[in-house]
Amino acid sequence: MVRRDRLRRMREWWVQVGLLAVPLLAAYLHIPPPQLSPALHSWKSSGKFFTYKGLRIFYQDSVGVVGSPEIVVLLHGFPTSSYDWYKIWEGLTLRFHRVIALDFLGFGFSDKPRPHHYSIFEQASIVEALLRHLGLQNRRINLLSHDYGDIVAQELLYRFKQNRSGRLTIKSLCLSNGGIFPETHRPLLLQKLLKDGGMLSPILTRLMNFFVFSRGLTPVFGPYTRPSESELWDMWAGIRNNDGNLVIDSLLQYINQRKKFRRRWVGALASVSIPIHFIYGPLDPVNPYPEFLELYRLSKVFCYLYLDSELLNGPLLQGAGSHPALTCVVYVLYFHVVVCWNMSI
C-alpha cells in the first residue's frame, strides 16, 4: 500500500513538472530574435537585395577610389555574415574602386529557406549572379575570403581555371583562416553534433541560444583578439534573423562537401598562376598549428602561395585565432591585402 502511494505521488509530481515545463519550453522556443544594434541596423539599411532563383540575397556595394579599375569581392565565414568586414570596409574603399560583399544564402540578412540543400556550388553561383546583376561579369575581380568563404573562393577558382564561359574572371585571391585542407580541419563539438546529429540536429538548433553560441564561438579567436559582448550580440542577431539558427545544421554540410570534393578544391589552388596570398592566425583551434602549415608546406599549394613568414611570426598574428578580419589584426590584414594584390608569384 505504501509503495502504491509512493508511485502515485511520483506520477503526480511528474505530471506537475510536465505541466510547468511545457509552457516554459514553448515560451523559450518563441523567444524573439534580438533587436539590431544601431551599427548593424545601419549596415542593413545601407545594403541592397537582389533576387537569385526567387531568393533574396543581401549585399553591400561601395564606390571607393575614383579612376581605379580595381574591384574586390569579400566572402565571409561561418556562421556570420558580410558584417564581419565592417572594420576594414572604409580602408578597402581607399584602395579599390568597388568594394562588394554579400551574405551567402542562409546567412545574415539573406533568405534562409528550409528545407533546402545548401551547397558550396550554389553559393559560388550566387556570387557569379551578383556580379552579373551589377554588370561586372566581364571585369577582373580580386577576392578576399575567410573560412566558409575560402571554400566558395576555391570553387570559383576551379571554374575560372576551367575557363568556362560566363564564369568569374579572378585577378587575385587572398584567403584568411579556413579549412582549405579537410584532413587538418577540427570542427568544434557543437558543429560535429549539428552536422552529423541526425534527428538530434533539429532539436539542438531550436535549443541554441546566445549563451551557447557565444561560449562556442569565442574560443576560435586568439586570447588577445576576442570580440566584445556587443559584437557577439551582433553576430547572434544576424544568425537569428529570419530564423537562421534553424538552418545551421544544413549549412554545416559544407564540411562533408569539402571532404568529398577535396581534389577539386585543393587542386584548384595548386594549379593556378594568379597571385594568391594566405593570412593565417596560428592560434586557430579549428585549423590548428602546426599541422595545418605542415600540410600547407608539403602540398603543391606551397609552390604557388605566398607565405609571409614575417607576418606569421609577428606579435599580432601570434595572438590571432580563426577570425583575423574581426580582431585588432584588421589593420595588418588590410596592409597585406594591399601588398598581395601588387605582387607577382
Side-chain angles (χ1 to χ4, degrees), residues 283-294:
L283 293 186
D284 181 359
V286 182
N287 303 286
Y289 177 87
E291 294 95 327
F292 179 86
L293 285 184
E294 275 304 308

Side-chain angles (χ1 to χ4, degrees), residues 276-288:
I276 299 181
H277 192 81
F278 190 75
I279 296 173
Y280 177 68
L283 293 186
D284 181 359
V286 182
N287 303 286

Side-chain angles (χ1 to χ4, degrees), residues 41-56:
H41 184 270
S42 175
W43 183 260
K44 182 180 180 181
S45 300
S46 61
K48 299 177 183 178
F49 290 86
F50 84 104
T51 301
Y52 174 81
K53 295 185 178 180
L55 299 166
R56 281 168 33 101

Side-chain angles (χ1 to χ4, degrees), residues 220-242:
V220 307
F221 292 82
Y224 311 114
T225 57
R226 289 180 175 171
S228 65
E229 185 168 344
S230 63
E231 288 174 323
L232 286 167
W233 271 108
D234 281 340
M235 296 178 205
W236 179 239
I239 292 170
R240 284 297 314 275
N241 184 70
N242 292 334

Side-chain angles (χ1 to χ4, degrees), residues 1-9:
M1 190 69 177
V2 173
R3 185 178 179 184
R4 288 181 181 178
D5 288 341
R6 187 179 301 156
L7 290 173
R8 179 177 56 80
R9 286 195 298 269

